[in-house]
Amino acid sequence: MVSITAPTPPAPPPRAKNGVVRWAKILGRELTTVAITIFGLLLVTFLIARVMPIDPVLAVVGDRAPADVYDKARLALGLDKPYWQQFAVYIGKVFTGDLGTSVLTAQKVTDDIKTVFPATLELATLGTLIGVALGVPLGILAAVNQGRWIDQIARVIGLIGYSIPVFWLGLMGLLLFYAKLGWVAGPGRLSIAFEDFVTPITGIVMLDAAMQGEWEAVRDAFWHLILPASVLGLLSVAYISRMTRSFMITELQQQYVVAARVKGLSEWRVVCGHALGNALVPLVTVIALSYMHLLEGSVLTETIFAWPGLGRYLTNALLNADMNAVLGATLVVGAVFIAVNLFSDILGRLADPRAR
């Protein structure tokens, strides 16, 4: 008899290769979404510039310019071309870093944003770090001790953060901690005595001062930063603690938590190792949303503390009908939103055990 041997099935592809292919597909989808979103952002800003009841030519030449000067400026700005050609030119300029010239500062909008954006980045980053450092533990404790005194404290902090106006909180902070107690420095990023000590490199004063060894300037910059960052941090703490509490309560009611406790695992390991690990995926998105909100929503804080950031720059541009500055700042905020959202999506997938 002749024995017939079944053919050997092909070996499955290596797991690492499957992981690389899966992540390549995910990254491809994310980049496609980003490209579509950027195109939509460019289209919206272009249309806003065209429908606003502000003549860009008059913003350049003034309302008393002769008709021939007005016509020459209109031709120079390309406003005589069809809209689709204007949009194509607009896209080309944006991708080459040309956001126009600010009427208010008479400088390129790109240069203005390079100057003011690091201040907002510095303020929002420290505010978010305060929010995460206080909000996440507070939310975890509130969820574990649901209905007890720590849970009530977390709710009160959340209520204060949501209900108190930012401008009032900033003014009261200046009155108490600066004017009365003298614990922090006043408005601005640096005291006058230190303004010429630090040469701008990155635009972030504390980092630039540290790179140049000006430790007194680092200390002075920190005492200027801590109060406005704490005001924004309270808003972040209120949001992050509330969402962390909600996520943790949901996870602590799951069957795998009950099983872990039955197995005799310590409460610390059950809460932080199991429940928090699964709540981390939506929590990353919440933290990213809080960070984006502080980046674009710190206008009042920057105004009260005389903080030369992007929010204050955008407000001044709006009040003076400086459309190039308004659109340039809007594009930067939109681009940062897209970048932070992409980063949070990728980080959330890395934190998700099912994606490993």
Side-chain angles (χ1 to χ4, degrees), residues 175-261:
L175 177 63
L176 177 62
F177 297 108
Y178 169 60
K180 296 293 184 181
L181 301 176
W183 290 357
V184 297
R189 298 182 75 189
L190 276 174
S191 299
I192 297 177
F194 292 99
E195 286 184 353
D196 295 331
F197 277 63
V198 182
T199 302
I201 300 174
T202 64
I204 299 176
V205 175
M206 290 183 60
L207 180 58
D208 292 344
M211 293 171 63
Q212 298 167 44
E214 299 289 349
W215 301 110
E216 289 293 330
V218 172
R219 189 178 299 108
D220 184 76
F222 175 78
W223 289 119
H224 279 84
L225 175 64
I226 187 62
L227 184 57
S230 298
V231 170
L232 292 179
L234 178 60
L235 304 179
S236 186
V237 167
Y239 179 54
I240 292 176
S241 63
R242 179 183 177 186
M243 299 307 296
T244 303
R245 177 184 180 275
S246 176
F247 295 148
M248 289 297 295
I249 288 177
T250 300
E251 294 299 329
L252 289 173
Q253 295 173 348
Q254 301 300 317
Q255 291 297 324
Y256 71 88
V257 172
V258 178
R261 285 171 172 163

